[in-house]
Amino acid sequence: MALTDAAVRARGQALLDRRSEWGITRVADITGLDWIGLPVATAFRPAGRTLSVAQGKGETADQARLSAMMEAVEFAAAENLQPSLHGTTARSLDLPYDIADIVPRTASLLGADSPLDWVDAEGVRSGTKLFVPYDRTRVFSLTGDAWRPPFLHSDSTGLAAGFDREWALDHAMLEILERSALRAFAEDPSQAREVDVTTLNSSWCQDFVEGFLQHGGFVTVRYLPSEAGLHTFRASVWSEDFPCMATGVATDRNREKALISSLAEAAQSRLTAIAGVRDDLPDIYSAMRIGHTRRPESSTRLVPWGDLPDDAAQDEDEPDTDFLIRTLTARTGIEPAFTVLHEDPGLVVVRVIGFGFHS
């Protein structure tokens, strides 16, 4: 859903006016901390139970501020979710899915007879009512090293906010597929293809790469295996003035859009590291001081942009929502389910569960 600049400003101001509802105390423009120039903003939520700092980016400063606030709202809503059922086993609920299909850890002790808390959910397409585990839906403690039994771990995969339900659901489902591609890459990096960035045909991408070359750095882009009809890129940036690798990942049905989004995400990650205020960052500056941030090696086996799969094989008439539901359902035969964490006119937060997809 494309918004005009005026609409972005209006919605951003409306959300800013309500910031106290979400514990947001300040929204800062941090674009000037780096030379890239991509607008990036930070939203501060000091009383957050997970992350107290959220980032956002956009083509304009208004878009970046709105994006940062939306991410802060996502975490606030997910932190405050309350269960519908307590201490109930999956077996007793006669669920339409296998509990193993939502366990992200291969060594999990979770089983059908494990007592869990649950929340109400429904099928994205059918609206069929069901329950999903509370700890798979809320977000709790993304930082810290406290030991927990290996049942369900907390992450933000499938968590999205939007101006309407369809927008939020589409972004949540796309993120599940992105994280799945990234997990597959982590397990077997050899399946990815490194792209020759000198062959990129987008002027924005060319300027982005040239900027890093001028600052004694480089950009690497890898094309990751994805579900049919999708493109996933993992972009990494490094330069001598901030010798720390920053990475961004993006998935989309449109190849060029996925590429640009991955580069923009890498730029945001770099600025986040430069600012140094996010709770879950490693100790980057200490690593720099002791020389643990050497210039990484680059590959010599590069694939030209034109040799990558294009969008021609896609059914362009199939709406994004239908495509995403079909793709997520194909893994186990069970449609994705979602829980509404917050909904009022103009603001919706959802959590989507894709069965068989692990981040």
Side-chain angles (χ1 to χ4, degrees):
M1 179 176 59
L3 295 175
T4 65
D5 289 345
V8 169
R9 284 194 295 273
R11 297 197 181 199
Q13 187 59 52
L15 192 55
L16 193 61
D17 291 342
R18 298 175 56 188
R19 63 187 181 276
S20 61
E21 297 177 31
W22 305 103
I24 300 171
T25 59
R26 181 172 180 241
V27 181
D29 184 343
I30 62 172
T31 308
L33 295 179
D34 201 2
W35 51 262
I36 297 176
L38 179 77
V40 175
T42 298
F44 294 89
R45 199 169 52 92
R49 300 176 187 173
T50 53
L51 297 180
S52 59
V53 179
Q55 273 74 35
K57 61 186 177 301
E59 295 181 11
T60 66
D62 286 331
Q63 289 180 3
R65 283 190 287 268
L66 179 58
S67 176
M69 287 189 288
M70 293 291 266
E71 181 176 286
V73 167
E74 290 171 5
F75 278 91
E79 289 171 0
N80 291 288
L81 179 68
Q82 298 300 314
S84 307
L85 291 175
H86 296 273
T88 305
T89 66
R91 194 183 305 280
S92 68
L93 292 176
D94 191 26
L95 300 171
Y97 59 88
D98 187 331
I99 193 69
D101 287 335
I102 59 171
V103 177
R105 293 173 183 259
T106 55
S108 175
L109 299 177
L110 185 66
D113 295 311
S114 303
L116 298 172
D117 294 341
W118 303 81
V119 296
D120 295 298
E122 59 184 272
V124 174
R125 171 64 68 208
S126 67
T128 300
K129 306 298 183 183
L130 69 156
F131 291 101
V132 293
Y134 173 56
D135 281 347
R136 191 68 184 87
T137 310
R138 67 169 177 150
V139 175
F140 59 95
S141 188
L142 297 185
T143 61
D145 55 4
W147 182 86
R148 293 186 181 84
F151 275 28
L152 291 166
H153 85 293
S154 179
D155 65 24
S156 59
T157 303
L159 177 64
F163 301 121
D164 59 51
R165 186 178 288 193
E166 181 178 351
W167 194 97
L169 287 172
D170 283 357
H171 280 71
M173 290 189 287
L174 195 60
E175 184 178 64
I176 292 171
L177 294 165
E178 173 193 300
R179 300 284 176 86
S180 177
L182 186 58
R183 174 172 173 144
F185 168 74
E187 293 174 348
D188 186 6
S190 67
Q191 297 302 307
R193 288 179 277 179
E194 186 165 339
V195 182
D196 183 351
V197 295
T198 66
T199 66
L200 301 180
N201 56 14
S202 160
S203 59
W204 187 92
C205 295
Q206 292 170 354
D207 291 344
F208 186 94
V209 172
E210 182 61 28
F212 275 89
L213 293 177
Q214 291 176 359
H215 284 78
F218 64 90
V219 176
T220 61
V221 174
R222 288 181 170 85
Y223 185 80
L224 311 188
S226 306
E227 302 294 326
L230 288 171
H231 304 280
T232 300
F233 290 96
R234 181 181 185 270
S236 299
V237 298
W238 186 95
S239 66
E240 293 178 350
D241 56 358
F242 188 72
C244 174
M245 188 73 86
T247 300
V249 181
T251 297
D252 201 271
R253 297 177 74 186
N254 180 278
R255 185 178 63 167
E256 185 170 304
K257 183 177 178 182
L259 171 65
I260 292 174
S261 295
S262 69
L263 292 170
E265 184 72 19
Q268 175 182 296
S269 297
R270 175 180 156 99
L271 249 177
T272 300
I274 290 172
V277 293
R278 185 158 165 139
D279 317 56
D280 57 344
L281 282 176
D283 195 357
I284 294 170
Y285 286 99
S286 292
M288 288 183 184
R289 284 195 294 271
I290 61 177
H292 285 182
T293 53
R294 299 187 305 272
R295 181 187 179 99
E297 297 292 329
S298 56
S299 173
T300 57
R301 300 177 59 186
L302 304 176
V303 179
W305 172 257
D307 289 353
L308 296 176
D310 58 23
D311 306 328
Q314 296 190 35
D315 179 2
E316 295 182 357
D317 294 329
E318 183 178 23
D320 285 348
T321 301
D322 294 344
F323 169 82
L324 293 168
I325 293 173
R326 176 173 60 80
T327 302
L328 287 169
T329 301
R331 179 68 61 93
T332 61
I334 302 171
E335 69 172 320
F338 75 99
T339 297
V340 176
L341 308 184
H342 174 85
E343 187 167 31
D344 63 33
L347 183 61
V348 182
V349 184
V350 301
R351 182 67 177 258
V352 174
I353 303 295
F355 300 104
F357 288 87
H358 302 149
S359 58

